[in-house]
Amino acid sequence: MDLLLQLAKNGAIIGLLYGLFAYGMSLIVSTTGVLHFAHGFTLVGSAYTFWWLFQGQDVHPVLAAALTLVVAGAIGVLIELGIYRPLRRRKAGEMTFLVASLAVLTLGQNFLVLLFGTDPKPTPPSEFMSWSVSFGPLLIRTFDVLVIAASLVAFVGLYLLQTKTAVGLSFRAVGDNPQRAETLGIRLQHTYVWVFLAGSVVAGLPAILLSVQNPVTPSMGFDLLVKAVIALVIGGIGSMPGALLGGVLIGLVESLAVYKLPTHWAEFTLFAVLFLFVVVRPNGLTRSRLRSA
Amino acid sequence: MRTHDAPHAAAQPHVLDVADVVAGYGKNTVLRGVGLTVGESELVALLGHNGAGKTTLLRSIVGQVKPTAGRVLLDGADFTGRPPSATAVAGMSLVPQGHGVFPSLTIEENLTLAAATGGKRGASAATLADSKAFAFDLFGILKQRPKDRAGSLSGGQRQMLAISMALMTQPRLMLLDEPSTGLAPVLVDEVLAAVRKVNRELGTSVLVVEQDIKRVLGVADRAYVLKLGGLVFTGTPAQLEKRDWSELF
Ligand SMILES: Nc1ncnc2c1ncn2[C@@H]1O[C@H](COP(=O)(O)OP(=O)(O)OP(=O)(O)O)[C@@H](O)[C@H]1O
Ligand SMILES: [Mg+2]
């Protein structure tokens, strides 16, 4: 029973990171209408950045984390400016965006292999990270506290951004109706850059936290992308509670599957749950805000 | 706001001056040289049969459609082909037909977003607060449930919110595309009366496209009739009443 509880806690914590990653992507998708699969590259690129700074260059972890967030934002903005904006100007179809986005993810991932090889890159154990405290049967580690704090800051921050600031309101307005937004003086190109910045910086948080917990690998961007897509199918695109719920649900399923099944069944269980969802609730838990063309 | 000086410094330029505009979609030319003006504090109706090109003209004015020939001047300054985000900040506020509000934003948020445009136009917080009070005075229903999503409002309430949003942008010129579409007759009167009130009390110039000809002629200072992409009538409502409508519409 204690093991089950511990697994559930670990699953929920990892799930928060999935939810964060998924919500950043969801924000970009619902505002721009682009299926931004390259968000996976933003994650893996940021994870390697953090590992390289912290482990390779001996940069203080706090500074390394701050720089990683900057890099994460820069990756997203560069993808928007370098790839999507030219495609938009040429009035490319949805499929072209999708292919371009997947190409960025694949090429980027291969580029990281060229630079760093395929072997997993662990960050060294530290005294700070190995602290823990027991609450009855529950063991709370530094990692758990960091994840909860980061998620809280990010979700509250994104909520306030989107309800209290003109730029954040413009994300939602552009997602609803870009033509109408323009007639209110909103410049779509600016809004897109801002939303890529916001969504990508948020992807930096799971990138950093996953790097300190597990070794960094070139495929982690793709793995997280698959989980984010599942989380968004379950939770609905554009919905903050949806992404959070979807992410935590995936984390729980993954973690709890291990309780009874061999570890390599985790993925099978995940897709079984996804399949069930698609059949039972094809529109997700919450109302989707993805623009219907 | 002016980027070019008017040719005759003495003559007051019209708020909106559209000259010989040719525009359409791809090879399909819809407007074949249309010119019209809207004066200071004037309320002008733009009428015409379905498909005559009324919406295309409004979209050409605000820049959603790029004219292939002709001129669009706001207060004498050239805005031909400028993007809608630029014409909006310059003072044109379009209320598009049927899609004037952002459904996933609350009433309050829709107004706040529009107020940001007013802010870009140099309006102070006090001015924006006044505009909001004016809008709530026009449409009391909006004040009651500010946290409701616009998507949950009725057609009439959405139209009222869309007009209020236009107000918040502190426009020089308000362009309304069929504000009465889908509204019950009593609401049509309420909406048109509100537009008239904005025009009279705030001095905002208005160009309004309407299907409900009788009702809009009741509030308009002047009217244009568009047919097959060309103007076939210009004059006062009284003059229009005397014409044979079968050849205009
Ligand atoms: N986006 C578009 N692409 C191609 N053609 C269009 C487009 N919008 C309108 N048209 C065509 O342009 C012509 C004029 O349309 P427009 O919408 O300007 O007319 P309207 O006077 O506003 O009509 P209504 O009273 O029905 O609103 C029509 O023949 C229409 O089919
Ligand atoms: Mg029309």
Side-chain angles (χ1 to χ4, degrees):
Chain A
M1 196 57 216
D2 285 2
L3 174 62
L4 197 63
L5 204 62
Q6 198 64 29
L7 284 174
K9 187 235 26 180
N10 287 347
I13 291 290
I14 286 286
L16 279 177
L17 292 181
Y18 298 162
L20 259 182
F21 178 73
Y23 188 62
M25 174 166 159
S26 160
L27 195 63
I28 291 171
V29 175
S30 60
T31 301
T32 66
V34 175
L35 273 177
H36 180 49
F37 286 171
H39 202 51
F41 176 67
T42 307
L43 181 107
V44 69
S46 309
Y48 271 93
T49 303
F50 180 74
W51 172 81
W52 181 76
L53 286 169
F54 179 33
Q55 173 71 1
Q57 307 299 309
D58 244 352
V59 175
H60 188 277
V62 173
L63 180 60
L67 290 172
T68 301
L69 293 183
V70 173
V71 170
I75 293 175
V77 169
L78 286 176
I79 294 173
E80 157 61 15
L81 293 178
I83 313 280
Y84 299 143
R85 181 177 287 187
L87 287 179
R88 220 176 273 122
R89 192 169 294 146
R90 273 178 256 159
K91 304 206 186 321
E94 220 167 277
M95 209 35 117
T96 313
F97 277 94
L98 187 67
V99 170
S101 195
L102 278 172
V104 169
L105 175 59
T106 315
L107 292 175
Q109 184 173 319
N110 282 306
F111 181 66
L112 290 171
V113 171
L114 281 178
L115 281 180
F116 300 107
T118 51
D119 50 318
K121 309 290 189 202
T123 47
S126 66
E127 211 174 305
F128 177 67
M129 290 306 293
S130 42
W131 171 89
S132 68
V133 61
S134 292
F135 285 102
L138 265 189
L139 189 70
I140 305 289
R141 303 156 298 170
T142 307
F143 178 71
D144 304 330
V145 176
L146 287 179
V147 170
I148 292 170
S151 312
L152 209 65
V153 168
F155 277 114
V156 170
L158 286 174
Y159 177 78
L160 293 177
L161 179 75
Q162 290 185 86
T163 51
K164 305 292 175 213
T165 73
V167 104
L169 285 173
S170 79
F171 293 171
R172 295 163 59 203
V174 168
D176 271 359
N177 186 342
Q179 280 79 38
R180 174 57 172 144
E182 276 188 294
T183 63
L184 286 170
I186 292 166
R187 297 169 73 171
L188 298 183
Q189 294 205 336
H190 289 194
T191 304
Y192 294 154
V193 169
W194 283 113
V195 81
F196 270 92
L197 182 66
S200 304
V201 166
V202 166
L205 293 170
I208 294 162
L209 289 163
L210 287 172
S211 313
V212 294
Q213 184 68 3
N214 303 308
V216 176
T217 65
S219 64
M220 70 189 281
F222 186 80
D223 294 345
L224 261 273
L225 176 70
V226 170
K227 282 165 193 160
V229 170
I230 298 174
L232 295 181
V233 168
I234 293 172
I237 283 180
S239 156
M240 184 178 283
L244 199 57
L245 270 173
V248 169
L249 197 67
I250 291 170
L252 284 174
V253 167
E254 245 183 11
S255 181
L256 293 177
V258 176
Y259 184 62
K260 282 278 183 239
L261 298 168
T263 43
H264 59 266
W265 279 74
E267 198 157 305
F268 172 84
T269 321
L270 201 56
F271 277 91
V273 169
L274 172 68
F275 180 73
L276 259 176
F277 246 97
V278 173
V279 173
V280 180
R281 297 272 331 228
N283 295 321
L285 283 173
T286 56
R287 201 175 56 87
S288 171
R289 246 187 46 202
L290 181 60
R291 186 151 81 227
S292 46
Chain B
M1 266 303 103
R2 255 170 239 182
T3 53
H4 301 297
D5 282 329
H8 312 291
Q12 181 89 357
H14 292 110
V15 173
L16 177 71
D17 197 335
V18 175
D20 306 317
V21 161
V22 178
Y25 307 91
K27 287 202 172 66
N28 175 18
T29 301
V30 175
L31 302 174
R32 303 161 194 284
V34 176
L36 60 75
T37 61
V38 178
E40 189 71 51
S41 305
E42 204 181 14
L43 197 162
V44 176
L46 177 60
L47 311 171
H49 203 272
N50 284 344
K54 306 179 295 293
T55 298
T56 306
L57 181 52
L58 293 190
R59 302 185 68 200
S60 304
I61 292 168
V62 302
Q64 285 184 327
V65 168
K66 309 276 175 241
T68 51
R71 282 278 163 269
V72 175
L73 308 180
L74 180 70
D75 286 321
D78 193 348
F79 281 93
T80 319
R82 295 293 310 282
S85 53
T87 58
V89 174
M92 296 190 196
S93 199
L94 174 70
V95 179
Q97 185 179 10
H99 303 282
V101 303
F102 299 106
S104 69
L105 273 62
T106 64
I107 291 177
E108 187 92 66
E109 288 168 343
N110 270 286
L111 293 172
T112 304
L113 192 71
T117 315
K120 283 185 204 167
R121 292 184 37 64
S124 66
T127 308
L128 293 172
D130 284 351
S131 295
K132 195 161 163 185
F134 190 90
F136 281 166
D137 201 39
L138 278 179
F139 307 119
I141 190 99
L142 298 179
K143 193 152 101 185
Q144 290 165 19
R145 297 171 308 174
K147 304 274 182 232
D148 279 15
R149 283 186 192 273
S152 72
L153 300 177
S154 71
Q157 291 163 350
R158 285 186 198 210
Q159 199 58 51
M160 293 172 188
L161 178 56
I163 292 171
S164 302
M165 288 162 70
L167 267 178
M168 295 305 290
T169 69
Q170 316 294 316
R172 241 340 238 148
L173 173 70
M174 210 186 264
L175 305 110
L176 301 133
D177 197 353
E178 305 201 20
S180 72
T181 321
L183 301 190
V186 50
L187 278 178
V188 176
D189 286 331
E190 187 180 344
V191 165
L192 287 178
V195 170
R196 184 56 168 170
K197 204 168 170 200
V198 168
N199 166 256
R200 279 292 106 117
E201 294 186 13
L202 303 179
T204 311
S205 302
V206 177
L207 180 61
V208 55
V209 169
E210 237 333 311
Q211 292 286 4
D212 198 328
I213 303 170
K214 285 257 158 61
R215 281 195 161 83
V216 77
L217 287 182
V219 299
D221 298 316
R222 240 160 18 92
Y224 291 92
V225 179
L226 200 57
K227 186 178 185 179
L228 299 172
L231 286 176
V232 291
F233 172 85
T234 309
T236 62
Q239 289 165 333
L240 183 55
E241 301 275 4
K242 294 195 197 95
R243 292 285 296 268
D244 176 8
W245 285 18
S246 63
E247 63 186 46
L248 296 178
F249 295 98

